[in-house]
Amino acid sequence: MGLFDSVKNSLKQGASKVINEAADSAAAGVKKAVESKKETFTFNDIPTTVEELQAIPEYSMDTPYKTAALAILVLCNYENNPENTYAMLDALRGPDPMTVVAKNFIKDRLEGKTYKPYSFFEGATVENNYTPNLPLKITVSSNAYSFPEENWATIHAKSAGADSDRPIKLRLKPSTNQWFLNDIQILADIRVPVAENPWA
C-alpha cells in the first residue's frame, strides 16, 4: 500500500478549514507584499477528482496562498491516479491548461518519488518516510519579493527534505479575482526517505 492509500485511509471525510497565521489578510494576494507572511491550511482529505477539489473551500482561489496550497495537495494524488491529478492541476491553472511537456515534467519528477509532495506537510520527515500528521497541514509563505509585478505572485513552501523553500508561481485573473497556477517549481529532488536509502 502506497503513501497515498495510507494517508487516505487515515483521513476523515469533511470540509477543510483555513488557519490564517498572519494579520490583516483582507487584501492578501491582491496588493504587493511588503513583508513576510505565512498562511497555514488544514485539509481533511486528498481530492481524487476535479469535483472533490472544487468542493474544498480554498478552491475559491481568491488568494495566491490558497492556490499554492491546493497545488501541493493535488500532487499527493499522483501515485493514485496521474490523469486525475493532471485534470485537477488544469482546474487550478484556469485559462492555461497543461501541455504535454508540462505533464511529462511532473511525471519525470514524481515517478518512483511520490513522497515529494507529502514532504511539504506538517509532521513529514526523512525518518518517517515523509508520512505527514493528520489532518494534513501545510504552511505557505510570501516575502518582499513575492509580488514583483501586478497580477503575478511567487509563493514558497518548505519541504522537510530540502534546505531551502521551493517556489510556486501564480497569476491573477482580475475579472474573477482568482489566482491561477502558472508554474510548479517544487519537484526537484529531496533527501531520500529512510525506507529507500540503502545507507540508512
Side-chain angles (χ1 to χ4, degrees):
M1 181 168 61
L3 185 53
F4 171 86
D5 293 316
S6 176
V7 172
K8 285 287 287 184
N9 288 341
S10 301
L11 285 168
K12 295 180 180 179
Q13 297 292 329
S16 61
K17 63 178 180 179
V18 178
I19 302 174
N20 185 353
E21 295 187 340
D24 191 19
S25 63
V30 178
K31 296 181 179 179
K32 184 175 181 179
V34 294
E35 57 185 49
S36 296
K37 176 179 178 179
K38 294 182 178 181
E39 289 198 21
T40 300
F41 299 90
T42 302
F43 300 105
N44 293 318
D45 209 357
I46 298 170
T48 60
T49 65
V50 170
E51 291 74 22
E52 290 180 9
L53 172 64
Q54 292 172 335
I56 298 175
E58 285 79 8
Y59 190 73
S60 63
M61 297 190 289
D62 53 354
T63 76
Y65 305 93
K66 291 180 181 179
T67 309
L70 286 176
I72 300 173
L73 179 69
V74 162
L75 287 170
C76 292
N77 183 64
Y78 185 86
E79 71 171 302
N80 174 57
N81 191 314
E83 289 305 316
N84 280 6
T85 302
Y86 296 145
M88 288 189 283
L89 290 172
D90 274 347
L92 294 176
R93 291 180 65 92
D96 183 26
M98 297 182 73
T99 63
V100 173
V101 172
K103 291 178 181 179
N104 286 336
F105 176 87
I106 290 176
K107 178 181 178 181
D108 290 344
R109 281 151 184 78
L110 286 182
E111 286 292 326
K113 298 179 180 180
T114 53
Y115 53 79
K116 286 183 182 179
Y118 290 97
S119 74
F120 292 92
F121 289 88
E122 185 178 290
T125 66
V126 173
E127 292 73 23
N128 69 9
N129 302 308
Y130 298 119
T131 302
N133 296 336
L134 302 177
L136 295 167
K137 284 187 177 183
I138 187 169
T139 298
V140 294
S141 63
S142 61
N143 56 41
Y145 306 100
S146 286
F147 298 86
E149 56 184 299
E150 188 176 9
N151 300 335
W152 289 91
T154 300
I155 301 301
H156 297 85
K158 177 68 175 175
S159 166
D163 295 326
S164 58
D165 291 357
R166 301 286 173 86
I168 295 179
K169 194 172 182 179
L170 306 111
R171 183 176 183 178
L172 176 68
K173 184 178 180 182
S175 62
T176 62
N177 194 37
Q178 290 177 296
W179 287 90
F180 289 104
L181 182 63
N182 177 261
D183 191 15
I184 301 173
Q185 301 172 348
I186 64 168
L187 296 178
D189 283 344
I190 59 176
R191 287 183 281 275
V192 178
V194 166
E196 299 184 21
N197 184 356
W199 293 99

